[in-house]
Amino acid sequence: MAKQRSVWLTLTLALALTATGCSSTKKDEVPDEPPEVLYQDAQERLQAGNFIRAAELLEAMDSRYPFGAYSNQVQLDLIYAYYKQDDTARALANIDRFIRLNPNHPSIDYAQYMRGLTNMATDHNFFQELLDIDRADRDPAYARQAFADFRQLLRQYPDSVYAADARARMVALKNRLAKYDLSVARFYMKRGAWLAAANRAKFVVQSYPDTDTLQPALQIMTQAYDKLGLSEMANHAEAVLKANFPAG
């Protein structure tokens, strides 16, 4: 397994260096064609997975025909092209611009959905996932924002075609956030900061009772309260633990 990961890492680094070298070359010029021709070309590139060239064509259209018949769709396609390139900064910038300029557009739900997807992608660390490294303790700011994005989508557009997927992703994000807070509680326990550990574990229990972090959080509460000499609170936490996990 370790050898396989090493091979994958080597291949990934080689591809990254190749991509860097390609991106540093001068962009192909976008021909002076009518917007419908450029847009058709961009669509073909998107469908073929050539997101870099598709973005170049769409950027040219966005610059040359900012108020044309294709303008809104060009902006939406640009968001997708940037997202597929993992260019999350530009994807988010274009999402915010589209929402700001087109608050009543029928595809606002799509833009909001893409905002959640993009923030979720920003939270991921490709190399850590490739090497199967659990970094639950990394800053969850983007995961938290992605959760808020999907929640807003469900509030404003509960019947959106993207609602079901947003709900599923919120479950994964909730687990990510719960693991982070649990890792903080464990950190406090290692440092002997019993009160801080108990409070953070209590937050996990109250905020994420439907995740796998419930049992270890209750265990931390029990241990931390016991260390603090708060027998009644320790007994209560232990009773809740045994009631929920009798075999534990």
Side-chain angles (χ1 to χ4, degrees), residues 71-72 75-76 94-109 111 157:
S71 60
N72 286 335
Q75 292 172 32
L76 292 170
N94 277 266
I95 289 167
D96 290 342
R97 182 183 72 158
F98 184 86
I99 293 175
R100 183 178 67 254
L101 297 177
N102 307 278
N104 298 315
H105 193 277
S107 293
I108 280 290
D109 62 331
Y157 311 100

Side-chain angles (χ1 to χ4, degrees), residues 101-151:
L101 297 177
N102 307 278
N104 298 315
H105 193 277
S107 293
I108 280 290
D109 62 331
Y110 171 76
Q112 185 65 32
Y113 171 71
M114 287 302 298
R115 198 174 199 284
L117 281 187
T118 305
N119 275 309
M120 196 171 181
T122 307
D123 179 64
H124 289 167
N125 185 301
F126 175 76
F127 288 104
Q128 288 176 3
E129 292 176 2
L130 180 67
L131 298 173
D132 196 25
I133 298 174
D134 183 10
R135 283 300 311 278
D137 60 340
R138 71 186 187 276
D139 184 4
Y142 286 107
R144 192 173 289 114
Q145 183 58 59
F147 189 89
D149 292 333
F150 290 132
R151 182 171 55 192

Side-chain angles (χ1 to χ4, degrees), residues 179-200:
K179 287 180 180 179
Y180 170 77
D181 283 309
L182 182 65
S183 73
V184 174
R186 284 172 170 162
F187 172 79
Y188 287 141
M189 286 293 287
K190 289 179 180 178
R191 293 297 182 93
W194 314 124
L195 182 58
N199 286 339
R200 185 57 69 103

Side-chain angles (χ1 to χ4, degrees), residues 75-247:
Q75 292 172 32
L76 292 170
D77 290 343
L78 259 178
I79 290 168
Y80 181 72
Y82 289 145
Y83 168 75
K84 294 298 288 185
Q85 292 181 62
D86 289 325
D87 190 346
T88 55
R90 285 204 286 182
L92 287 171
N94 277 266
I95 289 167
D96 290 342
R97 182 183 72 158
F98 184 86
I99 293 175
R100 183 178 67 254
L101 297 177
N102 307 278
N104 298 315
H105 193 277
S107 293
I108 280 290
D109 62 331
Y110 171 76
Q112 185 65 32
Y113 171 71
M114 287 302 298
R115 198 174 199 284
L117 281 187
T118 305
N119 275 309
M120 196 171 181
T122 307
D123 179 64
H124 289 167
N125 185 301
F126 175 76
F127 288 104
Q128 288 176 3
E129 292 176 2
L130 180 67
L131 298 173
D132 196 25
I133 298 174
D134 183 10
R135 283 300 311 278
D137 60 340
R138 71 186 187 276
D139 184 4
Y142 286 107
R144 192 173 289 114
Q145 183 58 59
F147 189 89
D149 292 333
F150 290 132
R151 182 171 55 192
Q152 183 174 344
L153 169 67
L154 295 178
R155 283 177 178 172
Q156 295 182 335
Y157 311 100
D159 298 324
S160 169
V161 295
Y162 309 104
D165 188 69
R167 288 190 187 93
R169 291 179 185 276
M170 287 177 74
V171 172
L173 287 165
K174 182 184 288 186
N175 283 307
R176 156 80 171 101
L177 295 172
K179 287 180 180 179
Y180 170 77
D181 283 309
L182 182 65
S183 73
V184 174
R186 284 172 170 162
F187 172 79
Y188 287 141
M189 286 293 287
K190 289 179 180 178
R191 293 297 182 93
W194 314 124
L195 182 58
N199 286 339
R200 185 57 69 103
K202 181 180 179 181
F203 176 80
V204 172
V205 170
Q206 293 176 336
S207 302
Y208 314 110
D210 53 348
T211 69
D212 292 339
T213 59
L214 179 61
Q215 183 176 11
L218 286 168
Q219 290 171 340
I220 289 174
M221 287 177 67
T222 302
Q223 296 168 14
Y225 286 139
D226 184 61
K227 291 287 187 180
L228 290 166
L230 301 174
S231 301
E232 185 176 347
M233 298 178 73
N235 291 337
H236 176 71
E238 186 175 18
V240 175
L241 176 64
K242 289 181 177 179
N244 285 274
F245 305 96

